[in-house]
Structures are given as structure tokens and as C-alpha cells.
């Protein structure tokens, strides 16, 4: 799935010449924490967010540093802070280093970028043109659609197909050897038998079976072998 398939488009944006009053009203009316900033040609040039309004003179929250620190940092830092706290236009206070993705970006790339940069939404561009935006809620909607699409009705998939898919998944993941297991499938009901040597394998095996389309129930008859004493424990479960 690509960015172009889950992004929201068109996007409500704002221009750099807009006032901070207009920006605040936009964020409040849309119930969002940030919005892209575009120039007259529709090119993405920045982002305005709640964080850009934290240190405003009107709120009395301007950053104040000791004089000796300001002396060490030089006039540039103080000048920049003054613009952020007193600027009247979006272009004065917006974040110019924009993190964005291309329309062809995969969901894996999008999630990785959100995690690494700790951001909740990503502008989507085609070239330098803003064409959409993706938020975490859009990822949830994509997940919801995928869950519905992959849900199979009982009887649609044969027991052998379920078994084959489960064995392939276990071989691919590597947290349990199919050779140590005895798995049976009967009318969509999966029974897990065999030995495990770490209790954390039990829920992983249950989840692997539950995620196979066509499975209606999973019965846990796995036996845990304590590696030091050789003691066996059967913690049978089912859902």
C-alpha cells in the first residue's frame, strides 16, 4: 500500500503571508495540531504547528536566557527567539525544515519516518507540490480496511490450506520449529500440540494461528519443557 492510497486529499493549507490569528483559527477549527504552509504555486515550504506558538509574548511564555548565555550564543539566537515570540505572520514562525514523503512511499517507509522523527502527520508531495497529508489516524483506517479484507468466512479456506499457511509462517518467523509441533486443523479449528522451551513461544504460536484466514478457534495443548529441570507443564488454553 502506498502513500497515495491512504492520504487525505485535498489538503487544507495556509500561506506564509497569513497572520498568526488566521493560523490559530485554522488549527482550532480543523481540530488538528498542525497544517502545511504552501506558496502561491502550491509548493510546500513549511509547517505551522501548536509547538510554534508555545513561546509567545502574548502569553508571557517567551524564552529568557541569562545574559552570559546570550553573549556566548551570539545575537543570532536571540534574534531568532524574538521573531518566534513576536512575529505576526505564518512565514515568521513556521518550521521550515519540513519532513515529507513522496506519493510513492510505502507504508513501511511512512511508519519508520514517523517513529524516527516522532511526528504524527506527514505532508505528501509529488515533486515539490503538496498533494495530500497522512496522519496516524489514516494508518488506523488503512489497518481497518486490511483487517476486513483479509477476514475469511468459515469454510472458504480448506483445513489443509490453513495448515500449510501456518507452517509457512512459523518457518518464516523462526520463533518455533514446525518439527517440534503437532498441529491439527479440523473445520477451521486449530489444535496446537508439541513442545516449547520458552513460555513466550506459547502466545506467539497462538497469534500466528489466529491470524490465518479461515481459523475459527485455536486450542492450546502445548507442553512447556523447563530447560534446566526437564519438568513439563501443560497450560492448555483455547479461544
Amino acid at each position: 500500500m502506498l502513500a497515495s492510497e491512504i492520504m487525505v486529499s485535498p489538503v487544507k493549507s495556509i500561506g506564509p503571508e497569513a497572520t498568526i490569528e488566521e493560523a490559530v483559527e485554522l488549527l482550532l477549527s480543523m481540530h488538528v495540531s498542525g497544517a502545511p504552509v504552501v506558496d502561491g504555486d502550491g509548493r510546500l515550504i513549511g509547517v505551522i504547528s501548536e509547538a510554534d506558538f508555545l513561546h509567545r509574548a502574548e502569553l508571557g511564555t517567551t524564552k529568557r536566557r541569562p545574559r552570559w548565555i546570550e553573549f556566548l550564543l551570539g545575537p543570532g539566537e536571540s534574534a531568532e527567539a524574538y521573531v518566534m515570540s513576536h512575529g505576526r505572520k505564518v512565514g515568521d514562525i513556521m518550521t521550515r525544515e519540513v519532513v515529507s514523503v513522496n506519493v510513492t512511499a510505502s507504508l513501511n517507509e511512512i511508519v519508520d519516518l514517523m517513529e524516527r522523527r516522532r511526528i504524527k502527520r506527514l505532508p505528501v508531495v509529488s515533486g515539490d507540490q503538496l498533494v495530500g497529508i497522512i496522519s496516524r489516524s489514516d494508518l488506523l483506517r488503512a489497518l481497518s480496511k486490511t483487517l476486513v479484507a483479509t477476514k475469511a468466512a468459515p469454510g472458504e479456506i480448506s483445513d489443509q490450506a490453513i495448515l500449510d499457511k501456518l507452517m509457512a509462517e512459523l518457518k518464516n518467523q523462526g520463533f518455533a520449529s514446525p518439527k517440534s509441533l503437532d498441529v491439527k486443523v479440523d473445520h477451521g479449528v486449530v489444535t496446537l500440540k508439541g513442545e516449547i522451551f520458552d513460555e513466550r513461544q506459547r502466545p506467539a504460536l497462538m497469534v500466528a494461528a489466529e491470524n490465518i484466514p479461515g481459523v475459527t478457534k485455536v486450542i492450546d495443548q502445548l507442553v512447556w519443557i523447563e530447560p534446566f529441570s526437564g519438568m513439563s507443564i501443560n497450560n492448555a488454553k483455547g479461544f
Side-chain angles (χ1 to χ4, degrees):
M1 195 174 291
L2 304 179
S4 57
E5 298 176 76
I6 67 169
M7 69 182 188
V8 173
S9 182
V11 187
K12 188 68 174 178
S13 60
I14 195 167
E17 295 301 314
T19 65
I20 62 168
E21 290 86 356
E22 291 172 323
V24 169
E25 180 58 33
L26 175 66
L27 298 184
L28 291 175
S29 64
M30 293 181 62
H31 305 287
V32 295
S33 60
V37 183
V38 299
D39 64 14
D41 295 320
R43 291 176 297 195
L44 180 66
I45 60 172
V47 171
I48 188 78
S49 70
E50 294 170 338
D52 297 317
F53 297 100
L54 291 180
H55 301 288
R56 291 295 303 180
E58 298 88 343
L59 297 175
T61 56
T62 56
K63 287 184 177 180
R64 297 186 181 279
R65 295 189 179 97
R67 288 288 185 181
W68 66 272
I69 292 182
E70 291 185 351
F71 176 77
L72 291 175
L73 294 175
E77 290 283 339
S78 296
E80 187 177 79
Y82 183 82
V83 172
M84 288 297 295
S85 60
H86 291 77
R88 306 309 304 171
K89 295 181 179 180
V90 168
D92 295 330
I93 68 171
M94 69 181 186
T95 299
R96 297 179 183 276
E97 295 181 7
V98 186
V99 180
S100 62
V101 293
N102 193 272
V103 287
T104 59
S106 68
L107 291 194
N108 191 55
E109 293 174 297
I110 293 167
V111 171
D112 179 64
L113 194 54
M114 284 183 168
E115 287 187 327
R116 283 192 293 105
R117 302 299 292 267
R118 298 182 180 180
I119 51 181
K120 296 180 179 180
R121 59 178 51 80
L122 283 170
V124 182
V125 296
S126 178
D128 58 3
Q129 297 290 304
L130 177 68
V131 295
I133 197 163
I134 294 174
S135 66
R136 293 184 180 182
S137 60
D138 296 317
L139 292 172
L140 285 179
R141 279 188 283 272
L143 174 61
S144 177
K145 291 180 181 179
T146 302
L147 290 173
V148 172
T150 57
K151 188 175 182 180
E156 287 186 354
I157 299 180
S158 70
D159 290 341
Q160 186 60 50
I162 291 174
L163 181 60
D164 291 343
K165 286 179 179 292
L166 178 55
M167 291 298 102
E169 177 68 7
L170 296 181
K171 183 178 180 181
N172 183 54
Q173 295 301 325
F175 55 75
S177 172
K179 295 181 180 180
S180 66
L181 301 173
D182 179 18
V183 182
K184 305 294 184 184
V185 184
D186 184 18
H187 294 87
V189 178
V190 177
T191 301
L192 298 173
K193 294 182 179 181
E195 299 175 345
I196 56 175
F197 300 91
D198 188 318
E199 263 300 320
R200 290 172 293 184
Q201 291 176 281
R202 190 185 302 275
L205 287 164
M206 295 285 288
V207 168
E210 292 165 5
N211 276 304
I212 302 299
V215 172
T216 58
K217 185 177 182 179
V218 179
I219 299 174
D220 173 11
Q221 294 184 357
L222 295 165
V223 176
W224 173 50
I225 305 297
E226 206 285 323
F228 297 104
S229 66
M231 181 184 299
S232 62
I233 300 176
N234 189 333
N235 186 24
K237 295 180 181 179
F239 86 93

